[in-house]
Amino acid sequence: MTSTDPRAVVIRYVEAVRDGDAGVIRDSFAEDATWHYPGDLPISKVWRGRDAIINDFLGGMGPILVPGTMEVELVSTIAEGERVVAEWTSRAETVHGGTYDNRCIGIYTVREGKIASVIEYADTRHVAATLFPDFDARRPAGDE
């Protein structure tokens, strides 16, 4: 039986990301979950729905990272009620020849044993430089 304790749900999710356990990752989210990634990067927006979060947001990183190089380490968690703050590090080699090495914070809301929402904070300048080196946030959308 899987725990519905919010902290346990988030730890289970982060460990599943670390271990590449797609089934647990999918099972961790409510069907109508949201993930907000602030900033002005190509991935910055509110991702709505489990499928968009898993397939488009999280899955969208796959083509940018060298397979087998991703390392995720949970640093700490703080929980109060249904809210959990998790801090983790992510490291990977990129297809652009760089190294992604970031420390992130996520504020998770867990309801009925499922992640209902996440707001993630990271060093977006580092994300831009390593994962999206050709992206220019100053250029209006549609300009080539």
Side-chain angles (χ1 to χ4, degrees):
M1 180 165 164
T2 303
S3 175
T4 61
D5 171 69
R7 179 180 285 179
V9 169
V10 171
I11 291 171
R12 179 176 177 251
Y13 162 73
V14 175
E15 289 175 348
V17 172
R18 176 198 66 202
D19 299 340
D21 190 334
V24 171
I25 292 169
R26 179 168 210 64
D27 185 57
S28 296
F29 287 94
E31 190 173 329
D32 62 348
T34 60
W35 190 301
H36 184 191
Y37 195 92
D40 56 7
L41 297 169
I43 57 171
S44 296
K45 69 178 196 175
V46 177
W47 298 86
R48 298 185 185 284
R50 176 177 49 215
D51 290 342
I53 292 168
I54 292 169
N55 300 333
D56 303 331
F57 175 60
L58 299 174
M61 297 296 102
I64 299 171
L65 305 176
V66 174
T69 65
M70 182 67 154
E71 297 175 16
V72 174
E73 180 183 348
L74 184 62
V75 175
S76 67
T77 59
I78 300 170
E80 183 176 322
E82 65 183 13
R83 292 179 56 119
V84 179
V85 176
E87 179 183 13
W88 69 92
T89 59
S90 296
R91 294 179 193 90
E93 298 304 313
T94 75
V95 297
H96 306 295
T99 300
Y100 177 73
D101 187 355
N102 214 341
R103 194 166 194 130
C104 309
I105 292 275
I107 302 171
Y108 293 78
T109 301
V110 178
R111 294 190 183 106
E112 299 176 8
K114 302 286 183 183
I115 298 169
S117 69
V118 182
I119 303 171
E120 180 181 345
Y121 298 96
D123 179 351
T124 55
R125 185 178 299 227
H126 177 68
V127 173
T130 57
L131 302 183
F132 304 103
D134 298 326
F135 177 72
D136 183 353
R138 297 166 300 179
R139 187 175 61 215
D143 281 5
E144 297 299 322

